[in-house]
Amino acid sequence: MRVVIALGGNALLRRQERPDASVQLANVRAAVAALAPLADRHELVITHGNGPQVGVLALESAADRSLSSPYPFDVLGAETQGMIGYWLLQSLQNALPERQVCALLNQTLVSAADPAFAEPEKFVGPVYERAEAERLAAERGWTVKQDGSHWRRVVASPRPQRVVETRLIRLLLDSGAVAVCAGGGGVPVIRDDQGRLVGVEAVVDKDLTAALLAEALDADALLLLTDVPHVEREYGTPYAAPIGHTTPAQLRAQHFPAGSMGPKVDAVCRFVELTGGMAAIGALEDAQAILDGATGTLVTPNGRPRADSAPRTQELT
Ligand code: ADP
Ligand code: MG
């Protein structure tokens, strides 16, 4: 199978962890240990989030007094693709010495007319207490919103329309390479009135880009790996329960938060609706088990595992 895998930025840098290079490299190595076994049986496209990382770089840039203005988000996005892409590239090369691995810088086309530019809602950077967040918002012109029990900065997250280098990624896959690409959802760009590419101040949701890429590459499966083992219904309430096998229609009937699970659910539903393939959301360390149909939230057109993935253990009895 051709499998597109998206790694959560929050799984590569957990919410309370220091953003040290050593911490992230250790997390990347653990992620690669979970993914490398899949490369024996499948063509792999690996993309990754960058929410926590881009937030760190944004803070550094804002604090750099030698700059007359902080680096814009397209540039910060490219920096995170380089940084996380490098860690993934090296870890994958070490884990898969027989394979060619590439890490690409990618741009993602968005529409200049996207309503997200007027209503920013994508969380970036560290969490703050409310008063601190409000002070920073006033001081730096940020928009801040509540994320669980804390507060975070938000930026515009327009819908991805196309990964500019899609054909190149396909060539690399066809030649047998493992492709790390479209990190952080890709660097957001628009076309100007001359048809030229120009970067914009935004971040693209990596889950939506992963779905777009999976469609464009004719992938068989889309795997969104994050820091929770399942999507839960009635999340955060005493009635919360994991969702196992499901359909796009069943998922779409429920509400999920816009800054976190919402885009993942949207992405998996879209992919399954458009391609009839299989998509899943689950924990990074469960990658293989999710593809085998043994855990995670698995979305297929009819809510049953595909013929080429093993049935769940409880269904064997
Ligand atoms: P990533 O960096 O992987 O994109 P996100 O923070 O964007 O991670 O999304 C995963 C988070 O979504 C989980 O850690 C959890 O806190 C949150 N979440 C929100 N709604 C749900 C839900 N219904 N089921 C499970 N997790 C949920
Ligand atoms: Mg996310």
Side-chain angles (χ1 to χ4, degrees), residues 122 206-207 259-260 264:
K122 173 65 188 168
K206 64 104 180 20
D207 297 310
S260 57
K264 286 189 208 307

Side-chain angles (χ1 to χ4, degrees), residues 2 166-175 216-218:
R2 179 169 286 185
T166 299
R167 287 173 65 188
L168 175 63
I169 299 168
R170 186 186 277 278
L171 280 175
L172 287 162
L173 281 182
D174 289 343
S175 76
L217 295 171
D218 297 307

Side-chain angles (χ1 to χ4, degrees), residues 228-231 242-245 280-283 286 289-290 293-298 312:
V228 288
H230 299 93
V231 182
I243 302 174
H245 295 147
I281 300 172
D286 293 338
I290 295 169
T295 187
T297 296
L298 217 83
R312 294 192 165 210

Side-chain angles (χ1 to χ4, degrees), residues 57-83:
L57 295 184
L59 282 175
E60 287 177 6
S61 188
D64 186 340
R65 291 181 187 271
S66 69
L67 294 172
S68 48
S69 60
Y71 288 138
F73 265 94
D74 60 328
V75 175
L76 297 174
E79 283 189 44
T80 64
Q81 283 188 347
M83 177 174 73

Side-chain angles (χ1 to χ4, degrees), residues 111-182:
S111 164
D114 195 299
F117 286 109
E119 185 54 50
E121 60 179 20
K122 173 65 188 168
F123 292 112
V124 293
V127 297
Y128 301 100
E129 297 306 324
R130 181 178 188 158
E132 172 81 348
E134 284 171 351
R135 186 182 62 76
L136 288 165
E139 229 173 71
R140 300 185 182 172
W142 292 356
T143 309
V144 295
K145 285 187 180 162
Q146 196 164 1
D147 181 16
S149 57
H150 288 81
W151 287 67
R152 284 171 89 186
R153 182 181 182 188
V154 286
V155 298
S157 187
R159 266 193 107 79
Q161 308 285 347
R162 173 156 181 97
V163 174
V164 175
E165 299 81 8
T166 299
R167 287 173 65 188
L168 175 63
I169 299 168
R170 186 186 277 278
L171 280 175
L172 287 162
L173 281 182
D174 289 343
S175 76
V178 174
V180 176
C181 58

